[in-house]
Amino acid sequence: MAVGAQDVKALRERTGAAMMDCKAALDESGGDMDKAVEILRVKGQASASKRAGRATSQGTVASYIHAGGSPGVLVEVQCETDFVARNEDFQEFAREVAIHIAAAAPQYVAIEDIPEDAREAERRVFEEKAKQEGKPDNVVERIVEGQLKKWAADVVLLEQEHVRSDRYEGKTIEQLRADLAAKTGENIRIARFTRYAVGEE
Amino acid sequence: MAVGAQDVKALRERTGAAMMDCKAALDESGGDMDKAVEILRVKGQASASKRAGRATSQGTVASYIHAGGSPGVLVEVQCETDFVARNEDFQEFAREVAIHIAAAAPQYVAIEDIPEDAREAERRVFEEKAKQEGKPDNVVERIVEGQLKKWAADVVLLEQEHVRSDRYEGKTIEQLRADLAAKTGENIRIARFTRYAVGEE
């Protein structure tokens, strides 16, 4: 089946992928739109791992102040080029992450950012609790590992589902970040954030 | 000379002091407006030191993002009551401090916030420089103390003159804070700030 310009355009609008990649994906799928999306997604993941190492020296700082003046959030999101930094999707992502942080109050950007002593303190609490509940020693470790994993997902920004779950279909911030990276073709990085609630300091 | 309601109103507009205080100051100055301002100022400083100890559990978070998305600033300003937190002067002060921080890039809120090791590192640099310039030992200390004082004033938010010097007549952030405290009759405190410049982290 011949691939029409209309299909290429539709696929591009749906995925944000480059025109040439859309054409190639539709050729490969024999014009099947859903299959072409799948092909682009797989390809996107391959290039995402290449992207992840690339330097991000450009970007933007976004803020969100809740009605009434508290909490307030500042977040820095980085990309590779000034061109993407000024892109509307990129700007919106930064704003939406700020809004999310205001509501969800994460403590760290990524799991790697959790300090070892914070993790150990949490581990001791879970261990103590599991033992007090009379769990046998041989299962305590497994229970604690599970609880630690859940705890990390709760306090880490990238692991959290965006609070606007209706709008973002339960996607995590990491998934939204990866989507934006695929769409822009650049490495996208949430560099840091600050959240102030009045009197909480 | 009898004090007219017009004068009381004019003095109130000029100083932001309470009606009763304006009346008393004009009575005391015999109707002399400038002298009345002076009286209120002295009185204000007396009550300011009383105010300085009072708890600030209310306030607002303000942000400023420079055109182009960087730098961005988040600042928390505290006061005593929700009433003042919603006051326009208070909100404007918070905004103007955020704008100032974006331009001036202070490192600490107050002199007391400078960590001892940062101060000592700075001291060593100044000492080394003074010695290399061949200053005699007995004056090095005095020179270094002067340079340290100047350095502290440069990196401390409250000691900095507001960057909008035309608008604020060269007043420091601390002076503007004190003016607002006098005007609102509450203890005003800049609790903390964050400044992000893209890629600077």
Side-chain angles (χ1 to χ4, degrees), chain A residues 164-176:
Chain A
R164 290 177 144 176
S165 55
D166 53 332
R167 188 165 178 176
Y168 294 113
E169 301 160 356
K171 285 190 175 180
T172 63
I173 304 297
E174 167 57 22
Q175 284 168 327
L176 295 172

Side-chain angles (χ1 to χ4, degrees), chain B residues 21-188:
Chain B
D21 293 338
C22 292
K23 172 88 169 58
L26 280 165
D27 282 340
E28 194 179 329
S29 75
D32 183 323
M33 189 61 77
D34 289 334
K35 215 168 156 186
V37 170
E38 194 56 40
I39 290 166
L40 282 174
R41 197 161 285 162
V42 171
K43 207 170 163 181
Q45 270 152 12
S47 52
S49 58
K50 258 185 272 171
R51 266 197 305 273
R54 295 211 299 257
T56 50
S57 63
Q58 301 295 316
T60 197
V61 181
S63 69
Y64 173 74
I65 311 280
H66 196 65
S70 176
V73 169
L74 199 68
V75 62
E76 177 183 348
V77 184
Q78 297 178 341
C79 56
E80 298 173 35
T81 64
D82 189 43
F83 177 74
V84 164
R86 283 179 283 116
N87 170 288
E88 181 48 40
D89 289 328
F90 180 82
Q91 294 278 337
E92 191 187 338
F93 174 74
R95 273 195 303 275
E96 291 286 324
V97 169
I99 290 170
H100 170 85
I101 293 168
Q107 295 178 46
Y108 312 101
V109 174
I111 285 188
E112 309 85 78
D113 299 330
I114 301 178
E116 200 45 47
D117 54 351
R119 186 189 293 271
E120 285 313 306
E122 214 62 31
R123 182 192 297 277
R124 279 192 299 276
V125 171
F126 290 141
E127 265 172 8
E128 201 49 48
K129 201 163 143 261
K131 280 174 187 167
Q132 277 178 8
E133 282 167 0
K135 307 285 187 205
D137 279 3
N138 59 344
V139 297
V140 163
E141 199 185 337
R142 198 163 42 81
I143 290 173
V144 167
E145 281 309 317
Q147 286 174 328
L148 266 179
K149 215 165 177 175
K150 194 177 166 306
W151 168 76
D154 279 351
V155 297
V156 165
L157 173 61
L158 289 171
E159 307 293 321
Q160 293 176 335
E161 287 182 15
H162 197 291
V163 289
R164 290 177 144 175
S165 55
D166 53 333
R167 188 166 178 177
Y168 295 113
E169 303 160 355
K171 285 189 175 180
T172 63
I173 304 297
E174 165 57 23
Q175 284 169 328
L176 295 172
R177 187 206 64 76
D179 287 353
L180 181 66
K183 200 163 180 181
T184 59
E186 293 202 356
N187 185 15
I188 304 289

Side-chain angles (χ1 to χ4, degrees), chain A residues 59-61, chain B residues 65-72 196-198:
Chain A
T60 197
V61 181
Chain B
I65 311 280
H66 196 65
S70 176
Y196 289 165
V198 167

Side-chain angles (χ1 to χ4, degrees), chain B residues 3-23:
Chain B
V3 173
Q6 284 292 47
D7 290 338
V8 173
K9 192 157 168 277
L11 182 59
R12 177 170 163 75
E13 273 165 13
R14 197 161 146 191
T15 61
M19 210 62 110
M20 251 176 45
D21 293 338
C22 292
K23 172 88 169 58

Side-chain angles (χ1 to χ4, degrees), chain A residues 57-63 65 68-76 78 189 191-201, chain B residues 57-63 65 68-76 78 189 191-201:
Chain A
S57 63
Q58 301 295 316
T60 197
V61 181
S63 68
I65 312 281
S70 177
V73 169
L74 198 67
V75 62
E76 177 182 349
Q78 298 178 339
R189 179 171 170 258
R192 46 184 176 166
F193 68 85
T194 298
R195 180 183 184 276
Y196 290 165
V198 166
E200 205 185 56
E201 147 221 34
Chain B
S57 63
Q58 301 295 316
T60 197
V61 181
S63 69
I65 311 280
S70 176
V73 169
L74 199 68
V75 62
E76 177 183 348
Q78 297 178 341
R189 180 171 169 259
R192 47 185 175 165
F193 68 85
T194 298
R195 180 183 184 277
Y196 289 165
V198 167
E200 204 185 58
E201 146 224 33

